[in-house]
């Protein structure tokens, strides 16, 4: 991996604020009393065993899932069932999925310009320029006119990141962006994310890449059974976990 | 930038208990809200749907509820109804044997029913792989048993026919080492020769010594739903091997063979089944040596089999194409020849992949057997349109019979499609 | 494997025909080819023998003879004094007509039902799957018979429109729904009417142009033009304006009850309607399944990704889901169209005079030329099928997803 | 192809083509037995040839396939309401062996329509059974009378009746016998009238293939025997008694107690006796299946013996 | 990896002899003037950039691809278009593919006994014993009754090797047998191959596992653009490559 980025100063402006949030699937209580404040420029890594609600948590933040109790405020906008608020929040929050979810019928460039043109109403010319800019940033400008099916997994994930960036989001959410990739491709994607972090993007990232967490995270959050069990800076978190659950979990993933 | 907030270290040592969701998330109310009235538009749709349902039931319920089940004739029905709306189901009650068996002699119904029940025994090991493989022996015997039960005559005919198959099999086994394909052709030829040369005289001779016979029933006496069933099962069973052969031919890299198969498949798929049935009923006789004249049922079975085989071939071709090329190469590199790798490696997998589409073709085929009514065969529909509706007693009933036919078909085809869904689910998780 | 040079073995041995990869294929092909030729030759020889024995020959002369029967539903002028050939052409047009109407309706039904089957509304979803199951699992011939008689029993006879106190009445005085068919007004074209039509066509073109312009504007400047109301305006206003300015050159001839039937207007025959709806409802059930499968084949991730980019459901459907679903839907859709066209040959069951009813029905019957008539019939269906299949291949190649 | 008779005798059964169902002429009872006026002809021929009226295998045929089935040899004779026309006889190479029913095409309308003549049917919608001479006659009739109409072709009688009752057509046209049969089955027969015009001649009769004159003779003379029997007063009741010998030589020749007519035909001497005994003479068959006392209730009309003003006229048996 | 096997003395019997062989795909010249003699017991590693014709070369040896010019002689049998010769050669040459190509509808044991029973006409009993013997050799006898889909990639590749061995081939061909595997599974498979090498099997192996090459190969062959560019014993090959192409290539694969 590239040299460690300077851990950037974090502002005290609040980017995401979650208060006493609860969520049920039917009668199953997935998220319990979540309280989380994310400051602008902060990079947060969320980890935890499978089924602990990590994905659900970050999906709640851009309203892909609705929550039943508590409040979520993103960049000052309170998430409610009002469609306008949802639109506003989504245009400020970018998201990157485990399986990339590129649009297979559009070229890479079209994937990147679709939303800017139709949602942001950016002129096509300009949208394409932006797209090329971000494609350069993720180091695949030469693939612009290919289709997703013609790219490798790592390249696809980088396109997915570029696609989100084209909407110029203030916050990026990543849901296990590297877990569907072959080992050699993981590096490509992590490098791209590290670069993003260096540029000061606010990021929430579900991942089990502990190297990445150590290198870029301001804070690591450990979830279990729908709750935040422990949060801390990476160094104390990894070297000296407090809760028994965390210790157990870390011993498992670091051991192998 | 001001003072960055220090990360709040946070640890939770106890687990929060799971709590019940808010009321709006459970119970009947939630179900109604989520499923029927989640939005204004949805609510309106629910109401429209309810209204449609009401109209439908209002039309059907009285007709069913007032139905007359016991009457001698339509005139009797009308008297009993005295002007009220209601179906005259008495026709079904009186004519159901004809609807189901056609003119099959009623004293032999047990034979037909036995064949029907045995069909399921024979099918069971094919449909459910959990059953012991030994049962497949019965499946192999079933066609002969069924033929004997349904048509009757001396037991020697099916026995000798079976013997012919066995003889063919031995020829095949003996020659198999030399060339699979050659052995296959030789085996088939042996079977055919046995049938043509030996079965007739030998069965006559044996029957005169040990009769072992059931009353013979003429093909033309078989009718009703029974014929749909016979056509459906035999054509599906026969079209499968033919379909496999056509699919392999179409995948072949020998241009002439490929072209023959493509032309056959495209021709058959390009014309409606009823034109093929017309051919079976009026034209086929012209193409056979003068004086040959064989059973209409047999002619129709041949035509529908050809028809189904073309569709089967396309389904199986899909399965063949879905197999990775590595499977063919692995077979080659182990030294298996073309027929061995087809039989042992490619076809078992390709067929498994194509099962859902094969079942769909089977359903379609079963429904299409009703078209034989157009060439004056008395299948279920032909029975209704012909003898029943033109009998003096029931001239004038209409709906009851068609609804009955529709219902009977529905029960069977719906059953098959449910089975195919079960199979798809099962195959999706197989071997994992 | 066909050729592999092997210079050291120039001698040809017979066994090489079977064992040598160079000759083996050719040997088999020649055998197969000869077997087929022999089979056909044998059948042809039998046919000539049989025909000679019956003193018949194959001749298409009957096509030029007077048909002698009338056809109710005709798209081109035809009278009983015309030839069998013309009757066959009337039949062909009727086949194409019902196939076209059926395909359009089946598509509409299929798309609506397919989407409704995925609806969150439990009742609607269940009703729709009920429809699909019932129609898919009962033979189409039974449906044709049932729907035709539902129509002729549920709709009033023209008689019911008669008298002081009729039990049925025309809708808006212009449309009559009877069990003999539906009567609608017929436009009467007077001089100047072509101008109105031209204006109408021009405004349709205009609507398309407007939409293209709106997209271009969005692409160029990012300004979005609302096109819904302007399109509607464009659809009606110029045409109506031209219509009134030119002094109403197009008038309508209303159907009215005269004699036994409604006269005037356009009659859409009951048999056509019955067959049309039976085929449409039956095929619609299959199309609904295709549509549903197509939409479900587009993974949920696509919708989520698009929502996460801030797109609204309508846009997601149009820009992301549909283009992908259509690739999955269209090939089976076209085979359903083919099936519908072939199933339309069951028209005889309700007395609709398609090609099977004319050439394969009455003509065959009156002339007894079954051999010739059935061959022609097959040829016709074959041509239709092959051309549709050809179109489908073109489409498949055009939309194939680019893969590595 | 001159061996149909041998084929039938060696097979031990007659293959007879009939209609798939036509009330009174061919239909099945609840036991699956074929009954009807056309069916009786088959049985009579079987009785004449094989001595057993039940030695018949019936092959139901539709309009489309009937001639092919006959030509291909699948059936030995066709006894189905088939009109004897020139082109069928000459061009299709068929041989009509006589006429068992003189029919004519007529019209039925609901009484409420207030029509009393076919000439008033201008503009009417007409239900017809598709694929028969009916359509040709209809076309000719309306064209000659300068009237327009809408044909609604229907494939079977039961469906045609269904359509007619539902009001999908104003008029139902088919052979008068069929009209009467249909009307008789109505809930309210009085509500429908059969118009006086008969617009065509529809001689219906059994037919065989061209070229086997011996077999044609068998069928022709069996039919004639039935007709002659009625004329001569031979019935199923008195046939045993008469076959012992009478003082009427024609009866004797017919029933085989005198002369060798049977031998000339290649049949046994009592061939005609068997044929008549199978279902009675022509009159008996008529009365049993379609006569006044059946629900169909047809009058003899043209189908009376020539002696009673009808057209039935069997050539002499000598 | 296990301890280095003694580089065995190679007999002077010829196992495979390729002379002036050329192959075209349509008008594309894939293999140019290949001359290669493999002695019995020799272990040859073939490497080279992607598309250089490595796979094509070894596929020609068991006639999975036909060649247009030159001769290939395997164990004394000249490869010709005669089916008998092809069958003979294939039964003496085992092949292992990158993607294993196990038969998913058969159990492991059935996979291994299929060819012996149907091609070699070995009695089933005996075939099963042989199969178990080789499954033990690749260390997975306990999986014999499972289906391939239930095994990990490394296990599947070992089954594939066992399947080839059951035909008791004199020569084994491997086409990138480890490149579809996760790193931890690669070792399992390489160990199996090393053991085979120790037993004296003649092997031609396309691989980029340079550790394996150093340890077991008698000869390393470097191909580029359809030609054999360089061949040598491993030590001189890696330490002192002669051609520039080889140097460049080695610097790339050893560098990363
Ligand atoms: N649509 C749903 N309906 C019901 N339960 C769900 C649904 N989606 C997720 N769950 C359940 O909610 C819990 C949390 O799911 P979530 O996907 O957030 O876990 P996760 O921490 O992301 O796990 P993983 O590491 O496996 O991705 C799981 O127990 C899961 O089974
Ligand atoms: N069936 C084919 N038709 C045409 N060209 C082919 C075919 N198979 C392979 N090729 C071409 O032949 C060349 C050699 O292919 P080959 O698979 O032998 O390379 P390789 O050295 O094994 O590469 P890799 O390391 O990627 O597996 C390549 O340029 C390839 O594109
Ligand atoms: Mg998750
Ligand atoms: Mg390769």
């Amino acid at each position: 991996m590239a040299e460690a980025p300077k851990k950037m100063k974090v502002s005290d402006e609040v980017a995401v604020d979650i208060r006493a949030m609860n969520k049920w699937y039917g009668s199953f209580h997935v998220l319990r009393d979540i309280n989380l404040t994310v400051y602008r420029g902060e990079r947060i890594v969320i980890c935890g065993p499978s089924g602990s609600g990590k994905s659900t948590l970050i999906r709640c933040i851009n309203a892909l899932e609705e929550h039943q109790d508590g409040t979520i405020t993103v960049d000052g906008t309170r998430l409610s069932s009002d469609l306008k608020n949802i639109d506003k929040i989504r245009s400020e929050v970018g998201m990157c999925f485990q399986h990339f979810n590129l649009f297979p019928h559009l070229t890479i460039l079209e994937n990147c310009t679709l939303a800017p043109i139709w949602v942001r109403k950016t002129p096509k010319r300009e949208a394409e320029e932006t797209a090329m800019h971000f494609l350069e940033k993720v180091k695949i400008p030469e693939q612009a006119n290919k289709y997703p099916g013609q790219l490798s997994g790592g390249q696809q994930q980088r396109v997915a990141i570029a696609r989100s960036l084209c909407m110029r989001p203030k916050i990026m959410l990543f849901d296990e962006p590297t877990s569907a990739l072959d080992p050699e491709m993981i590096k490509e994607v992590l490098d791209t994310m590290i670069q993003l972090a260096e540029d000061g993007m606010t990021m929430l990232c579900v991942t089990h890449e502990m190297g990445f967490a150590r290198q870029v995270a301001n804070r690591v959050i450990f979830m279990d059974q729908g709750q935040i069990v422990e949060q801390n800076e990476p160094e104390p978190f990894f070297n000296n976990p407090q809760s028994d659950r965390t210790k157990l979990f870390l011993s498992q993933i670091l051991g192998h | 930038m001001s003072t960055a907030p220090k990360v709040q270290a946070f640890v939770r040592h106890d687990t929060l208990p799971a709590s019940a969701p808010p009321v709006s998330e459970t119970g009947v109310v939630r179900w109604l809200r989520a499923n029927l009235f989640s939005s204004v538009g949805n609510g309106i749709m629910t109401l429209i749907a309810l209204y449609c349902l009401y109209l439908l039931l209002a039309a059907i319920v009285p007709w069913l509820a007032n139905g007359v089940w016991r009457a001698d004739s339509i005139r009797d029905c009308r008297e009993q109804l005295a002007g009220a709306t209601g179906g005259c189901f008495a026709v079904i009650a009186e004519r159901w044997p004809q609807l189901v068996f056609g003119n099959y002699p009623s004293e032999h119904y047990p034979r037909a029913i036995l064949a029907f029940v045995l069909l399921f025994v024979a099918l069971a090991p094919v449909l459910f792989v959990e059953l012991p493989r030994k049962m497949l022996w019965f499946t192999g015997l079933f066609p002969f048993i069924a033929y004997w039960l349904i048509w009757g005559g001396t037991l020697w005919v099916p026995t000798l026919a079976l013997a012919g198959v066995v003889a063919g099999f031995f020829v095949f086994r003996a020659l198999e080492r030399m060339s699979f394909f050659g052995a296959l052709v030789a085996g088939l030829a042996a079977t055919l020769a046995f049938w043509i040369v030996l079965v007739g005289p030998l069965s006559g001779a044996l029957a005169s010594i040990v009769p072992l016979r059931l009353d013979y029933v003429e093909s033309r006496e078989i009718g009703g739903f029974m014929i749909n069933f016979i056509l459906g099962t035999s054509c599906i069973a026969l079209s499968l091997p033919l379909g496999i052969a056509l699919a392999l031919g179409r995948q072949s890299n020998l241009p002439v063979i490929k072209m023959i198969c493509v032309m056959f498949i495209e021709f058959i798929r390009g014309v409606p089944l009823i034109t093929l049935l017309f051919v079976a009923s009026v034209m086929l006789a012209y193409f056979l040596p003068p004086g040959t004249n064989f059973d209409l049922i047999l002619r129709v079975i041949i035509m529908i089999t050809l028809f189904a085989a073309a569709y089967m071939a396309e389904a199986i071709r899909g399965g063949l194409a879905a197999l990775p090329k590595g499977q063919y190469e692995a077979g080659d590199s182990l030294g298996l020849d073309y027929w061995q790798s087809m039989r042992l490696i490619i076809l078992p997998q390709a067929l498994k992949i194509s099962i859902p589409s094969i079942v769909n073709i089977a359903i379609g085929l079963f429904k299409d057997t009703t078209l034989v009514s157009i060439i004056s065969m008395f299948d279920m529909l032909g029975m209704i349109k012909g003898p029943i509706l033109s009998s003096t007693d029931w001239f004038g009933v209409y709906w009851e019979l068609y609804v009955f036919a529709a219902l009977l078909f529905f029960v069977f085809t719906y059953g098959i499609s449910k089975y195919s869904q079960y199979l798809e689910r099962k195959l999706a998780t197989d071997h994992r | 494997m066909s050729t592999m040079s092997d210079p050291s073995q120039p001698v040809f041995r017979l066994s090489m025909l079977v064992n040598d990869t160079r000759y083996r294929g050719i040997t088999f092909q020649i055998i197969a080819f000869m077997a087929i030729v022999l089979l056909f030759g044998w059948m042809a020889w039998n046919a000539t023998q049989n025909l000679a024995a019956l003193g018949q020959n194959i001749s298409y002369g009957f096509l030029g003879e007077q048909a002698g029967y009338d056809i109710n539903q005709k798209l081109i002028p035809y009278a009983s004094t015309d030839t069998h050939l013309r009757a066959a052409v009337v039949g062909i047009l009727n086949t194409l007509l019902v196939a076209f109407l059926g395909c359009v309706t089946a598509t509409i039904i299929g798309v609506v039902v397919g989407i409704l089957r995925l609806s969150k509304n439990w009742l609607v979803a269940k009703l729709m799957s009920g429809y699909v199951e019932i129609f898919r699992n009962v033979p189409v011939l039974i449906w044709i018979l049932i729907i035709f008689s539902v129509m002729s029993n549920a709709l009033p006879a023209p008689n019911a429109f008669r008298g002081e106190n009729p039990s049925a009445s025309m809708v808006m005085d212009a449309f009559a729904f009877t069990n003999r068919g539906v009567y609608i007004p017929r436009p009467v074209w007077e001089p100047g009417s072509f101008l109105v039509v031209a204006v109408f066509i021009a405004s349709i073109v205009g609507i398309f142009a407007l939409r293209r312009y709106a997209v271009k504007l969005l692409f160029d400047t990012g300004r979005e033009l609302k096109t819904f109301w302007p399109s509607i305006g464009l659809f009606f206003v110029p045409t109506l304006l031209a219509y009134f300015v030119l002094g109403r050159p197009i008038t309508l001839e209303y159907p009215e009850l005269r004699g036994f039937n409604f006269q005037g207007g356009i009659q859409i025959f009951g048999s056509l309607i019955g067959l049309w709806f039976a085929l449409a409802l039956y095929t619609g059930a299959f199309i609904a399944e295709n549509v549903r499968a197509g939409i479900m084949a587009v993974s949920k991730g696509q919708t989520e990704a698009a929502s996460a980019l801030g797109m609204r459901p309508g846009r997601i459907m149009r820009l992301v889901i549909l283009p992908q679903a259509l690739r999955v839907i269209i090939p089976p859709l076209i085979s359903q169209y083919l099936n519908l066209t072939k199933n339309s040959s069951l028209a005889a069951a309700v007395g609709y005079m398609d090609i099977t009813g004319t050439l394969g029905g009455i003509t065959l019957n009156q002339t007894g030329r079954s051999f010739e008539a059935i061959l022609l019939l097959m040829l016709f269906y074959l041509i239709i099928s092959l051309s549709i299949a050809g179109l489908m291949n073109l489409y498949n190649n055009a939309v194939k997803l680019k893969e590595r | 192809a001159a061996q149909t008779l041998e084929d039938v005798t060696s097979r031990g059964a007659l293959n007879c083509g009939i209609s798939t169902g036509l009330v009174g002429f061919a239909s099945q009872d609840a036991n699956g037995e074929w009954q009807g006026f056309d069916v009786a002809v088959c049985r009579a021929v079987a009785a004449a040839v094989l001595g057993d009226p039940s030695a018949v295998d019936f092959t139901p045929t539709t309009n489309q396939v009937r001639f092919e089935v006959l030509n291909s040899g699948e059936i030995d004779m066709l006894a189905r309401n088939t009109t004897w026309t020139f082109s069928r006889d000459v061009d299709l190479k068929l041989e009509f062996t006589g006429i068992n029913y003189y029919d004519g095409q007529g019209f039925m309308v609901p009484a409420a329509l207030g029509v009393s003549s076919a000439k008033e049917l201008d503009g009417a919608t007409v239900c017809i059974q598709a694929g028969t001479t009916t359509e040709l006659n209809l076309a000719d009739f309306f064209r000659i009378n300068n009237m327009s109409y809408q044909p609604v072709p229907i494939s079977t009688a039961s469906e045609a009746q269904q359509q007619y009752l539902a009001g999908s057509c104003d008029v139902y046209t088919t052979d008068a016998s069929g009209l009467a049969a249909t009307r008789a089955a109505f809930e309210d027969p009085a509500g429908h009238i059969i118009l006086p015009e008969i617009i065509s001649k529809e001689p219906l009769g059994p037919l065989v293939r061209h070229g086997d004159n011996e077999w044609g003779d068998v069928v022709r003379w069996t039919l004639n025997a039935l007709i002659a029997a009625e004329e001569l007063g031979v019935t199923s009741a008195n046939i045993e008694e008469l076959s012992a010998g009478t003082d009427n030589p024609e009866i004797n020749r017919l029933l085989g107690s005198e002369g060798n007519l049977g031998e000339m035909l290649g049949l046994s001497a009592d061939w005609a006796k068997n044929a008549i005994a199978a279902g009675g003479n022509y009159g008996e068959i008529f009365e049993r299946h379609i006569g006044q006392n059946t629900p169909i209730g047809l009058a003899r009309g043209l189908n009376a013996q020539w002696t009673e003003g009808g057209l039935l006229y069997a050539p002499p048996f000598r």
Side-chain angles (χ1 to χ4, degrees), chain C residues 112-160:
Chain C
V112 170
V113 172
I115 291 174
L116 286 184
R117 245 192 121 173
L118 293 170
S119 150
K120 290 202 187 87
N121 189 318
W122 181 86
L123 187 65
V124 171
K126 285 288 162 215
L127 267 185
M128 292 306 141
S129 60
Y131 154 78
V132 169
E133 292 300 346
I134 289 178
F135 273 83
R136 279 202 316 168
N137 286 312
V138 170
V140 63
L141 186 53
I142 296 187
W143 280 126
I144 292 177
L145 293 170
I146 288 184
I147 287 175
F148 183 52
S149 61
V150 165
M151 220 205 61
S152 52
N153 283 290
L155 291 176
N159 251 336

Side-chain angles (χ1 to χ4, degrees), chain A residues 83-102:
Chain A
L83 274 185
K84 287 218 182 97
N85 280 353
I86 293 184
D87 283 349
K88 180 146 186 300
I89 286 175
R90 282 190 181 156
S91 68
E92 275 163 15
V93 176
M95 174 139 185
C96 225
F97 299 84
Q98 182 184 6
H99 291 109
F100 341 133
N101 295 340
L102 295 181

Side-chain angles (χ1 to χ4, degrees), chain B residues 129-184:
Chain B
V129 279
E130 298 84 2
L131 293 173
R133 299 290 84 195
K134 290 243 166 55
M135 285 177 72
L136 282 172
W137 280 103
F138 181 75
T139 311
L141 291 180
F142 176 75
F144 304 95
I145 300 178
Y147 171 83
W148 187 55
L149 282 175
I150 291 174
W151 275 270
T154 164
L155 180 59
W156 291 111
V157 172
T159 312
L160 284 170
L162 182 61
V165 173
V166 172
F169 179 72
F170 278 117
V171 170
F172 168 74
R173 266 331 254 286
L175 298 177
E176 195 189 357
R177 270 156 205 261
M178 292 163 63
S179 149
F180 177 86
F181 185 68
L184 198 66

Side-chain angles (χ1 to χ4, degrees), chain B residues 10 59 70 148 221 290:
Chain B
F10 166 92
R70 228 167 252 289
W148 187 55
E221 290 179 277

